[in-house]
Amino acid sequence: MSQTPAPTGAVAHPELLAVYLNDHIAAAAGGIELVTRMIGVHKGTRWEDGLRQLLDELRQEKSDLTATARSLDLPVRQYKQVAVWVAEKASRLKLNGHVLSRSPLSSLIEFEFLASAVRGKRSGFETLRIAAEIDPRIDKVLLDSLIDQANRQFEWATDVRREVAAELFGGDAAAVADADTDA
């Protein structure tokens, strides 16, 4: 790691920021793959429209992160995106007791993963927003918007996850949502 101080008005440790941004760009690519597959599975269900909106937003977020890297003159590493693409494809080969068919657990696990992943990307947007305070090349308004969008996405994915869990195991998803608002 370079110990050279960053120029005034620029982020410290740009080489680490390059790694960080590339990791988030790759995660966005993985999210795009997962949500694309989920749209096929949930075609015609009440969740299809939300998944389609999420897919459009993920594509735009990936583009925004790539533009941010370029505005900072940081490299965009395609190999990380390819690695995540392969990992997403490999994740379909899980040992879930259903070799030739989709497990009833698959939708629940996928929506749980989505909710967790959205939390992670929101953290990434927040980190970039912190860096934007010292580097004017990072768009504060864009990041504020992405943080708000991630909050909305998390609420939607959490609500769907609760509905899927209730449909799979029984119970009342609203009871958990009500308890969550009381906290």
Side-chain angles (χ1 to χ4, degrees):
M1 178 168 63
S2 168
Q3 296 300 320
T4 306
T8 303
V11 297
H13 306 292
E15 68 284 358
L16 295 178
L17 184 59
V19 171
Y20 188 78
L21 265 169
N22 275 283
D23 287 350
H24 279 275
I25 292 167
I32 289 167
E33 288 300 314
L34 173 63
V35 172
T36 298
R37 177 167 46 94
M38 290 175 73
I39 288 170
V41 170
H42 297 287
K43 193 166 186 64
T45 70
R46 65 184 182 273
W47 302 310
E48 181 182 3
D49 289 343
L51 287 166
R52 287 192 183 282
Q53 179 178 345
L54 180 59
L55 179 60
D56 290 343
E57 291 168 353
L58 288 172
R59 287 177 174 149
Q60 185 59 53
E61 290 166 5
K62 182 177 177 246
S63 176
D64 291 339
L65 289 171
T66 300
T68 298
R70 290 198 173 116
S71 74
L72 295 167
D73 295 320
L74 300 175
V76 176
R77 306 286 186 208
Q78 297 299 320
Y79 71 87
K80 286 190 175 197
Q81 294 175 56
V82 170
V84 170
W85 181 86
V86 170
E88 193 282 327
K89 300 298 184 228
S91 74
R92 299 176 189 193
L93 303 172
K94 49 194 166 286
L95 301 174
N96 58 15
H98 289 77
V99 178
L100 300 176
S101 64
R102 186 171 164 83
S103 168
L105 279 174
S106 294
S107 290
L108 179 59
I109 298 299
E110 289 167 350
F111 280 110
E112 283 181 350
F113 181 79
L114 269 183
S116 297
V118 168
R119 276 259 165 110
K121 77 172 179 179
R122 184 186 68 191
S123 294
F125 296 150
E126 290 172 351
T127 296
L128 290 171
R129 181 59 177 83
I130 291 166
E133 287 299 313
I134 60 155
D135 197 322
R137 298 172 297 172
I138 304 173
D139 187 339
K140 293 178 187 179
V141 173
L142 171 66
L143 289 165
D144 289 341
S145 172
L146 292 174
I147 291 165
D148 289 343
Q149 180 171 280
N151 287 334
R152 182 188 43 73
Q153 291 168 347
F154 177 75
E155 288 177 25
W156 176 80
T158 298
D159 289 345
V160 173
R161 174 187 53 79
R162 289 172 177 159
E163 291 173 26
V164 171
E167 286 180 9
L168 184 61
F169 298 118
D172 182 7
V176 175
D178 293 342
D180 191 32
T181 59
D182 293 340

